[in-house]
Structures are given as structure tokens and as C-alpha cells.
């Protein structure tokens, strides 16, 4: 199965490159792909890299032990920046689609990496969708430019690294015993994120409250369909130390959601309802705030624009992630000083992180004073 997929990726990548001029594609034994340009511009390489999860990840009708991922590296004059595309299957991208997308890019036409806007506008224009694959280019380019400037991105953006929030740690829906076990393991975290949206919602909160008093945020993942019931539940949650409610109703229930936000004693946060910059305006007046994730919004450049726009509209901001290596979470963490909440636990859920970067110290997102996105490679995967 693995060999078949690798062969497919190689074939798809090679086929995509047929007919392109000035590009050379190479595969190393590891499956790494290098796109070199005959021009003296940026060179891009990428490598499919399966993230091994610490625990089986269970959804309504599937479970998995890995998350498909592609690592990227953009280089110029011997300086390299790293990026990644994390692609949980339910979001529609795959190693195959990312390979097709990345193979179609000609970054060699750009000799000046500081032209971030031009480069990323080109990347965005090549194909619609592919937001995680686009983020993989965006993050690597930011990392590269930060290294050339010898500054971390939070400094380039003018943020105070001391302003970062605590990160939440997610507790999934499970049996009472497992929930109690997970909550005790999460003791170092100052805020927990609880998945709701089932008939057992109140029982879930009561179970957690039997072992901890720490603040909770809840993520309903569109699970409530009756707005009056939703409002009653939110009042009950507030009495039980919950501080925010993420995506309580289906993303299509816009009128119900606007009513709920208007009447809710807790802030409501859009997640599934929102992907990219124009969605921030649509969420305004419907939700109190937004959850920005690099893999949904094509990366750091657009995430920064979304954050700025949300702030100008007086909306709350959460910065989130998928299951990712330290690369993805360290990129997202650059924005954390301007976020109200962070949900940056993605790298803590995997066992084969090839990098270190942003750290969680006493539950708080802690940025490192290193250029770019602040990564250090601990395992040479490519
Ligand atoms: Mg969510």
C-alpha cells in the first residue's frame, strides 16, 4: 500500500512536470522531490512525511493513527526555510494533491525572496483550493526571509513575545475513565478544550469538573441544531467555568448563529465557518471571534491579514492548528502575542517531530528568539 502510494506520488509528480521548461525534478531514495530551476531563483523541495500519532484519533465513523503531511524546504544562496502541509483526511487534501500542486510551481522565476506578496499571490493563483499545500510554501518562505533578516517573525511584525496566551489542550469525547485519565495527564495546561456536541455534553463537563477547576473552552464542531437549547446549554456552561464556545451550530445556520451570539453570555468562535480572509467579514456580526489556522488560510501572510482585520472589527481571535510538527505550530505561534487564545497542541500529539521550536512552558506559548519561525532540526529527514 505504502509502495503503491509512493509510486503514485512519483508518477503524478513526474507527469505534472512534463512540458514545463527550465525545471528539473529529482527523487532521492527517501521519496524527497527536488524542483530545481535553471534560473537563479528560489528552489523548492518537498518530502511526504507521515505523522505518527501518540493515540488513535477517533471521529464519528473513522479512526486513524497517522496524519498525512508534506515537509517543504525553500532555499536560496545556501539559506533554507522550512514549511509543512498537514492534511487530516476530512479536509480534502492529500499527499497526492499536495505533490501535484507543489510540482506545478515554478519558484525559480523569483530571485528576490523578499517579494513575499508577489510570490505568494503567484502561488495562490496557480490552482484554487490546496490551502495546506499553499501554507507549506508560505511557511517555508517566511522562515527563509526571517533567516535572511536574522529576525523572528513576531519581531518583524512588532509583537511582544511576553504577550502570548496559554495554550489549551484538547480532551476528546470518551468514556468517563478515559476522560479522567486524559484530564490528569493534562495537568500542566492552564486551560482545557473539551469536545462537545453529543447527548452526553453535560455529563462530559461534570466528569471533568470532578477532577479539575481549570478554565475550559468547548468545541461543539457544529453539533447543536436548536438555538434555544444551545443558549440554555451555554448559560449552564458559563456557570461551570467555560470561557468560550467554538462552532456551536452548523456553518450554514447563519441566522440562528447570529441570534445565539447576540444572546450568548460567552464569546462564540467560528472555526468550520471560516477559512480565508473574506470569511472574516462574513463572520462579523455572526460570531464574536474567529479561529485562525494556517492550513486553512494558506499560511502566515493571510493569517496575519485575518488577525489584523478581525482586530479592526473588534472581534476575538484564537490561533489554532491541526496535528502538525513543531514547524507548523511554531509558524502559527508567531501570531500568538496578538491572539486572545491559542490552541497550539498539535506537535504534542505526534511521536516523530523532526523539529523543535515554540515551547509550552507552564501551559504558556513560549516563543524562541531565533530567526524565521525559530526552528531547530533534531532529525535530518531531508
Ligand atoms: Mg474547532
Amino acid at each position: 500500500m505504502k509502495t503503491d502510494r509512493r509510486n503514485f506520488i512519483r508518477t503524478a509528480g513526474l507527469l505534472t512536470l512534463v512540458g514545463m521548461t527550465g525545471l528539473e525534478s529529482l527523487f532521492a531514495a527517501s521519496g524527497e522531490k527536488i524542483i530545481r530551476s535553471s534560473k537563479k531563483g528560489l528552489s523548492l523541495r518537498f518530502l511526504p512525511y507521515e505523522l505518527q500519532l501518540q493515540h488513535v484519533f477517533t471521529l464519528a465513523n473513522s479512526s486513524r493513527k497517522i496524519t498525512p503531511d508534506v515537509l517543504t524546504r525553500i532555499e536560496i544562496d545556501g539559506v533554507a526555510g522550512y514549511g509543512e502541509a498537514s492534511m487530516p483526511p476530512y479536509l480534502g487534501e492529500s499527499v497526492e494533491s499536495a505533490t501535484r500542486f507543489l510540482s506545478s510551481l515554478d519558484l525559480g522565476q523569483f530571485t528576490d525572496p523578499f517579494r513575499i506578496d508577489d510570490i505568494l499571490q503567484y502561488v495562490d493563483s496557480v490552482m484554487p483550493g490546496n490551502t495546506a499545500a499553499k501554507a507549506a510554501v508560505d511557511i517555508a518562505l517566511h522562515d527563509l526571509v526571517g533567516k535572511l533578516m536574522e529576525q523572528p517573525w513576531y519581531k518583524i511584525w512588532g509583537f511582544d513575545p511576553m504577550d502570548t496566551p496559554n495554550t489549551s489542550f484538547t480532551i476528546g469525547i470518551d468514556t468517563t475513565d478515559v476522560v479522567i485519565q486524559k484530564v490528569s495527564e493534562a495537568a500542566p495546561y492552564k486551560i482545557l478544550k473539551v469536545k462537545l456536541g453529543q447527548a452526553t455534553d453535560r455529563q462530559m463537563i461534570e466528569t471533568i469538573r470532578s477532577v479539575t477547576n481549570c478554565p475550559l473552552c468547548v468545541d461543539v464542531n457544529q453539533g447543536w441544531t436548536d438555538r434555544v437549547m444551545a443558549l440554555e446549554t451555554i448559560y449552564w456552561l458559563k456557570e461551570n467555568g467555560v470561557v468560550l464556545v467554538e462552532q456551536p451550530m452548523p456553518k450554514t445556520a447563519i441566522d440562528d448563529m447570529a441570534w445565539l451570539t447576540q444572546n450568548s453570555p460567552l464569546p462564540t468562535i467560528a472555526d468550520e465557518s471560516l477559512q480565508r480572509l473574506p470569511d472574516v467579514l462574513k463572520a462579523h456580526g455572526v460570531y464574536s471571534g474567529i479561529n485562525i489556522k494556517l492550513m486553512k488560510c494558506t499560511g502566515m501572510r493571510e493569517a496575519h491579514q485575518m488577525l489584523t482585520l478581525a482586530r479592526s472589527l473588534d472581534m476575538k481571535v484564537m490561533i489554532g492548528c491541526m496535528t502538525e510538527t513543531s514547524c507548523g505550530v511554531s509558524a502559527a505561534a508567531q501570531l500568538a502575542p496578538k491572539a486572545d487564545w491559542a490552541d497550539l497542541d498539535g506537535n504534542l500529539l505526534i511521536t516523530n517531530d523532526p523539529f523543535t521550536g515554540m515551547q509550552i512552558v507552564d501551559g504558556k506559548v513560549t516563543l524562541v528568539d531565533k530567526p524565521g519561525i525559530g526552528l531547530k532540526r533534531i532529525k535530518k529527514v531531508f
Side-chain angles (χ1 to χ4, degrees), residues 193 195 219-221 246-247 270-272 291 293 318 343:
K193 183 178 201 172
K195 293 282 191 181
D219 188 353
V220 188
N221 290 116
E246 190 175 322
Q247 200 66 51
D271 185 8
E272 286 89 337
N291 185 349
K293 293 177 180 168
M318 173 187 280
D343 184 22

Side-chain angles (χ1 to χ4, degrees), residues 219-239:
D219 188 353
V220 188
N221 290 116
Q222 315 184 72
W224 297 338
T225 48
D226 179 331
R227 69 183 192 182
V228 175
M229 184 281 304
L231 186 60
E232 281 171 16
T233 309
I234 293 174
Y235 270 101
W236 182 85
L237 291 171
K238 184 168 190 270
E239 284 168 20

Side-chain angles (χ1 to χ4, degrees), residues 131 275-277 292-299 302-303 306:
T131 55
Q275 268 208 307
R276 300 192 57 180
L277 183 62
I292 301 174
K293 293 177 180 168
L294 300 189
M295 297 300 145
K296 291 197 302 186
C297 77
T298 73
E302 193 154 320
M306 290 170 79

Side-chain angles (χ1 to χ4, degrees), residues 110 114-124 141 301:
F110 298 101
F114 287 87
R115 282 174 53 201
I116 293 178
D117 273 348
D118 292 341
I119 298 167
L120 295 178
Q121 269 167 25
Y122 156 73
V123 170
D124 198 21
L141 183 62
R301 171 175 165 268

Side-chain angles (χ1 to χ4, degrees), residues 70-106:
V70 171
L71 301 175
T72 52
R73 178 180 157 127
I74 296 178
E75 210 169 322
I76 196 160
D77 298 333
V79 182
Y82 293 92
E84 84 173 297
S86 166
M87 297 166 291
Y90 59 90
L91 292 174
E93 289 184 74
S94 61
V95 169
E96 288 82 0
S97 67
T99 297
R100 240 184 325 266
F101 180 79
L102 296 170
S103 300
S104 73
L105 298 178
D106 176 13

Side-chain angles (χ1 to χ4, degrees), residues 196-198 201 218-234 237 244-264 267-274 286-289:
L196 295 185
Q198 313 256 321
D201 283 354
V218 299
D219 188 353
V220 188
N221 290 116
Q222 315 184 72
W224 297 338
T225 48
D226 179 331
R227 69 183 192 182
V228 175
M229 184 281 304
L231 186 60
E232 281 171 16
T233 309
I234 293 174
L237 291 171
L244 69 87
V245 181
E246 190 175 322
Q247 200 66 51
M249 301 192 74
K251 59 182 176 184
T252 48
I254 296 165
D255 292 343
D256 284 343
M257 203 46 242
W259 177 88
L260 187 61
T261 297
Q262 209 167 21
N263 292 286
S264 172
T268 61
I269 306 297
D271 185 8
E272 286 89 337
S273 289
L274 165 128
V286 181
Y287 295 86
S288 325

